[in-house]
Amino acid sequence: MAELTILVFLLAFFALITVFTAAQCSTNGLPIVRDISKLPQDSYGIPGLSHMTVAGSLMHGMKEVEIWLETLAPGARTPIHRHSCEEVFVVIKGGGTLYLASNSHSKSPGKPEEFRIYSNSTFHIPVDDVHQVDYLSVSPFCCIGLRRFFWFNVIMGAN
Amino acid sequence: MAELTILVFLLAFFALITVFTAAQCSTNGLPIVRDISKLPQDSYGIPGLSHMTVAGSLMHGMKEVEIWLETLAPGARTPIHRHSCEEVFVVIKGGGTLYLASNSHSKSPGKPEEFRIYSNSTFHIPVDDVHQVDYLSVSPFCCIGLRRFFWFNVIMGAN
């Protein structure tokens, strides 16, 4: 029921985004080149998170992919979640542990595999695999992430 | 006719990739975390280019997106080309000029707009827009690029 609620909300949200961007997706309407240091950041309510959308649908008119830059304070972690798209991360600085429950599409993904992530490494999350990342580095964790534009996110449990 | 030949070749190539990756797309079959410094590089015959696929379909089993790391020698340039996907670039080091002929889907895109690209900037190429990048920096140009997996590339003319 909770998943259904999230899906309905996201459907409405992406429908709004589609209408909004359809009016301003021309090259003339949006800048082709942008200074990353001047892009807005947000924590989305997650302690220790600084998330910057480098290229996305709403602000930049992207239709197929989105890319973001994230910095996390030492000890920060993502919720346990999964989404209907694959993700790729490039770790610029810091490290931690990726917990991944492969091919687990239920509410009880079971015991996940553990993977160490580190500076100058890349890791990917297959479609719908339940995962969580613990950022254990003593310095802030910085990564570039990307995925296709249309996806649904489902939070599986508490942090 | 040349475009048709390229499309037929690419169709056969991506069909081969699809068959190849279908056999090894499980998490067990491919590493989730990889050391970027150990990934192979190639110039693809372009002088001054070092191209590294950070996450792609053939070697890494990606189904939706691909990301690469490119380093180019000062003065290097891409061919004039367009492709059936949007691209996003994050400029890590160096700079140059992007030439972009927006909404030009013919063999004669006309005079392009010029955009200066620089370190810590991001730029995107809309779907099917003819473009070329001159890397004028005195130091090597380094960028991260991404796009969705399935796309067709068409070379429009000489370098």
Side-chain angles (χ1 to χ4, degrees), chain A residues 21-93:
Chain A
T21 54
Q24 57 169 322
C25 278
S26 70
T27 302
N28 295 334
L30 292 168
I32 290 293
V33 182
R34 284 166 290 111
D35 185 338
I36 290 176
S37 67
K38 296 178 179 176
L39 297 177
Q41 301 181 37
D42 199 331
S43 70
Y44 297 103
I46 298 177
L49 170 67
S50 172
H51 179 102
M52 173 192 293
T53 299
V54 174
S57 61
L58 188 58
M59 287 191 298
H60 314 126
M62 305 306 294
K63 296 183 177 68
E64 299 179 342
V65 293
E66 63 183 33
I67 180 169
W68 64 94
L69 181 64
E70 278 186 349
T71 303
L72 292 108
R77 59 170 54 175
T78 69
I80 300 169
H81 66 292
R82 61 181 171 88
H83 29 65
S84 61
C85 64
E86 61 189 8
E87 284 183 325
V88 182
F89 292 87
V90 174
V91 182
I92 298 172
K93 190 172 68 173

Side-chain angles (χ1 to χ4, degrees), chain B residues 121-136:
Chain B
S121 73
T122 180
F123 64 95
H124 70 275
I125 310 296
V127 176
D128 270 335
D129 280 7
V130 174
H131 58 284
Q132 180 180 39
V133 181
D134 275 348
Y135 303 101
L136 307 174

Side-chain angles (χ1 to χ4, degrees), chain A residues 34 63-64 86 122 148, chain B residues 34 64 86 122 148:
Chain A
R34 284 166 290 111
K63 296 183 177 68
E64 299 179 342
E86 61 189 8
T122 179
R148 64 175 165 82
Chain B
R34 285 167 289 112
E64 299 178 343
E86 62 189 6
T122 180
R148 63 175 166 83

